[in-house]
Amino acid sequence: MTYRISVLDRSPVRRGRGNGQALRDTVAFAGDIEALGYHRFWVSEHHGVPGVAGSAPTVLAAAVASATGRIRVGTGGVMLPNHRPLVVAEQFGVLDSLFPGRIDLGLGRSVGFTDGVRRALGQGKEAADDFGDQVRELLAFFRGDQADYPGVHAIPAEGRRVPAFLLATGSGAALAAELGLPLVIAPVRGERVLLDAVARYRDEFRPSDQAAEPYVVVSTAVAVADSTAAARRLLVPEAWATVYSRSHGVFPPLSPPGEVLALPMTDRESARLDEVLAGQIGGTPDEVADRLGALVETVGADEVLVSTSTYDQSARVDSFAALAQVAGLAVPAA
């Protein structure tokens, strides 16, 4: 295997289990992922979104890091427009001080999901327009050379080397190239758009103290099972939640795939579900090996960030165990 493979968990709520259990499931799942030999385990940030419990990624990352001992832990990502760069620097300085050499700082530019959430956060949509300046300020706090606030230091972040990654939404790929940061990108708009963004990133990349050369992390959902149909069923609960959220503004709790497929769907919803599933990788070990290998080769990815959730937690662990075998991951020593 010529690429690393890691995991992103968004802490989705499962029907009948609630928000608290979703967070506890994330922490327990991180332990399973570490035991299987994966490289990183990242958590995400969603505010005021029913169906997603992960609203405080730095707090959750601390819990995950406390419950594990080797795997890198980070965020995919902290939505910087929602926060002051000084506070984010301080939070990750604390994390890196407590878990040295294991913390990653993934950064995104999204603001709240709805107008009400944005008002509650004290931000408007325009806050995302300042993302580049916010990232520069944040990195300067880590270096200790920020000049906008004389005499202000991000303690204990100053001088610590916490790897920063940029999530490619909007102009994220160009900004990652300009600042010399690793790029995290998903084929949500199709493969052609993905390849164009990665090509521009590589062409425009400027080496930095964060990265000497371009580094591309491609994110996608992957499910491995004994049959193509069984793998597709693993992907159905979260794929449906994604489809439902686009028209209703909430993520429904993940339900068993059989119940999802029995729902009365409009023709548009059914088509969208098929479209989401077609953009994900599911199948037998050989099928996944071929499709994942092709994606990595086409993109020239250095790392894959797998973002699969499903209703049945044990079935998800089994899928990730099978994927670890496909990828040839070495189980770490105790």
Side-chain angles (χ1 to χ4, degrees), residues 84-86 137 141 145-153:
R84 294 299 303 172
L86 172 63
E137 183 178 314
F141 273 121
D145 61 5
Q146 69 83 25
D148 291 334
Y149 310 98
V152 176
H153 299 272

Side-chain angles (χ1 to χ4, degrees), residues 123-217:
Q123 302 291 350
K125 287 184 177 180
E126 69 282 354
D129 298 336
D130 298 326
F131 181 57
D133 289 339
Q134 293 164 343
V135 176
R136 294 182 187 92
E137 183 178 314
L138 174 62
L139 297 176
F141 273 121
F142 277 103
R143 292 192 304 266
D145 61 5
Q146 69 83 25
D148 291 334
Y149 310 98
V152 176
H153 299 272
I155 299 171
E158 190 171 292
R160 304 198 71 88
R161 297 185 62 83
V162 178
F165 297 71
L166 237 59
L167 278 62
T169 56
S171 58
L175 182 62
E178 176 191 340
L179 299 179
L181 297 177
L183 174 70
V184 183
I185 190 166
V188 291
R189 299 182 185 176
E191 188 173 289
R192 184 71 264 161
V193 174
L194 169 70
L195 295 178
D196 288 346
V198 170
R200 288 195 303 272
Y201 166 71
R202 289 200 172 96
D203 289 343
E204 299 172 6
F205 185 85
R206 301 177 186 175
S208 71
D209 59 347
Q210 286 277 344
E213 56 189 23
Y215 190 90
V216 176
V217 182

Side-chain angles (χ1 to χ4, degrees), residues 85-131:
L86 172 63
V87 175
V88 175
E90 291 171 337
Q91 290 172 341
F92 278 83
V94 169
L95 283 173
D96 189 62
S97 298
L98 294 172
F99 310 101
R102 293 182 56 206
I103 300 300
D104 300 322
L105 172 53
L107 298 166
R109 69 186 295 271
S110 297
V111 290
F113 202 58
T114 65
D115 287 339
V117 170
R118 287 190 290 271
R119 288 196 301 271
L121 290 169
Q123 302 291 350
K125 287 184 177 180
E126 69 282 354
D129 298 336
D130 298 326
F131 181 57

